[in-house]
Amino acid sequence: MLVRASLGTLAVLGLERARLAARPTTAYLLQYSPWGCTARCMFCSQSVLAKTPRRLLGRVTWPVVELEKLLRAWRRGLFARVCLQTVLRPGFACEAAELLEQLRRVDPDTPASVTTTPVETWVLREWRRLGVDTLGVGLDAASPRVFREAGKPYTWDTYIGFIRRAISVYGRGRVYAHLVAGLGETPREMLEAMKTLYAMGARVALFNYTRLPGSPRDFPGVDTATYRVYQVARLLLEHGLDPLDYIDPGPPPQFTRRPPLDPRRGLLTSGCPGCNRPFYNEPPRGPIYNYPSAELLRRDREAVEKQLEEIGLGEGE
Ligand code: SF4
């Protein structure tokens, strides 16, 4: 079986040479498909509409590798987690199960995540049996309007219903909805979407929109200040707090009250335990939207303080 793996993952396994500014703590795999994904998302480089080379997703290169070769290089303990990103095409769910089955022969323990479009409940159960303890759902858009404009497959309601169903299989707090900032949502839409997802028992993994040449359409993106507001809002929800008690959504969104936690913690990559997605949305020289390590966050302390000041979270405020 062929699979794609992120360059960083292959470097950790010793299958590629690359200088890593941050080591991936999760092994990132992407389902192989010669035509990419049959969905027509307008922002995605894997979409059937995209002219982008299929080895690119986000800012990351994903070379093709034989699964057997990858598993021969696999060492238990190298990664905290393995994440398999699926693409929509015939037979993808069963192929994902087969891949997990082969992984389990060499490593029965490392927790796994699968990122998926809506699938049937028996598939969710089968993946769980194969050691998937956390599910990623590429909701991507922050509102039904953005969902339609971005050309997502199915409907918003189908995705929300699927997230509910996934929670009933994996449990509360074990389903991460991926949300992409910068697809034309308003800050209020983003904050409301995050609130709705947490209220349902899901969690959020935040991504920054990355434009690749050849993608079907350009979207506006967001500046770092707006992204910092979303990151701190997500951190508040993780702690059971309502971001709208602290944030005026604007635009531009601004903190009107200081929250009772260190906002810097929100700037680290969000997602499944052990997921740091180094430089998925940005070049290592910055600006960095999702910090893959506390060390890099410390390196950029001054720039980060300025960004936090801009949103009303300066040290003296
Ligand atoms: S949050 Fe990270 S590990 Fe979890 S599904 Fe998304 S990319 Fe994979």
Side-chain angles (χ1 to χ4, degrees):
M1 183 190 306
L2 292 176
V3 66
R4 292 185 183 276
S6 77
L7 190 63
T9 301
L10 293 175
V12 172
L13 290 172
L15 295 174
E16 287 274 354
R17 289 168 71 113
R19 279 191 49 200
L20 299 177
R23 185 185 177 285
T25 48
T26 286
Y28 296 99
L29 308 181
L30 169 63
Q31 211 163 28
Y32 174 73
S33 162
W35 331 273
C37 182
T38 55
R40 306 167 81 85
C41 302
M42 305 294 268
F43 56 89
C44 181
S45 59
Q46 295 292 310
S47 151
V48 75
L49 301 174
K51 295 193 181 68
T52 319
R54 293 291 177 244
R55 65 175 187 283
L56 298 176
L57 178 63
R59 291 228 178 224
V60 176
T61 309
W62 302 76
V64 180
V65 59
E66 276 285 352
L67 179 64
E68 215 177 284
K69 182 174 171 189
L70 185 137
L71 292 180
R72 266 202 308 272
W74 193 267
R75 299 283 174 274
R76 282 157 86 172
L78 271 185
F79 297 102
R81 169 170 300 277
V82 49
C83 172
L84 172 63
Q85 161 98 48
T86 61
V87 297
L88 196 53
R89 66 160 162 74
F92 83 89
C94 290
E95 194 201 81
E98 203 184 313
L99 187 151
L100 290 163
E101 191 109 50
Q102 293 197 36
L103 169 74
R104 287 310 171 212
R105 283 191 208 126
V106 296
D107 181 349
D109 307 319
T110 304
S113 302
V114 170
T115 311
T116 186
T117 45
V119 292
E120 290 185 48
T121 306
W122 69 265
V123 173
L124 294 175
R125 293 211 180 98
E126 179 64 2
W127 289 344
R128 199 185 60 171
R129 185 184 71 78
L130 293 163
V132 174
D133 66 346
T134 316
L135 199 79
V137 181
L139 177 63
D140 300 332
S143 73
R145 174 186 65 82
V146 178
F147 189 94
R148 279 191 306 274
E149 287 170 12
K152 291 284 303 169
Y154 310 113
T155 64
W156 170 269
D157 287 345
T158 305
Y159 265 81
I160 297 294
F162 174 62
I163 291 170
R164 278 191 213 288
R165 214 156 27 86
I167 293 168
S168 74
V169 174
Y170 289 90
R172 286 178 77 84
R174 296 215 163 260
V175 176
Y176 283 81
H178 291 189
L179 285 179
V180 179
L183 297 182
E185 70 286 340
T186 63
R188 182 173 285 281
E189 282 175 323
M190 179 57 92
L191 298 174
E192 294 284 3
M194 288 202 267
K195 268 184 74 168
T196 305
L197 289 160
Y198 275 84
M200 284 165 56
R203 295 165 103 168
V204 167
L206 265 180
F207 290 69
N208 180 43
Y209 165 64
T210 308
R211 188 189 180 275
L212 289 178
S215 310
R217 224 188 90 191
D218 278 0
F219 288 84
V222 288
D223 55 14
T224 42
T226 302
Y227 198 76
R228 297 299 178 231
V229 172
Y230 297 165
Q231 286 175 304
V232 181
R234 196 204 63 88
L235 181 69
L236 292 175
L237 285 160
E238 283 283 318
H239 288 83
L241 298 167
D242 181 347
L244 289 170
D245 286 346
Y246 298 87
I247 299 166
D248 170 0
Q254 275 282 325
F255 275 82
T256 50
R257 262 175 78 196
R258 210 179 165 81
L261 35 76
D262 181 358
R264 293 170 203 83
R265 278 168 42 208
L267 276 47
L268 294 167
T269 303
S270 51
C272 305
C275 171
N276 69 342
R277 298 192 302 276
F279 313 115
Y280 198 89
N281 292 153
E282 61 273 297
R285 66 178 182 283
I288 296 181
Y289 282 73
N290 294 319
Y291 277 92
S293 69
E295 194 189 335
L296 275 178
L297 186 55
R298 273 195 298 276
R299 181 200 73 179
D300 287 359
R301 198 168 32 219
E302 271 179 36
V304 162
E305 289 312 325
K306 279 205 193 96
Q307 290 161 1
L308 292 176
E309 234 165 73
E310 245 184 274
I311 60 170
L313 291 179
E315 287 283 15
E317 282 165 276

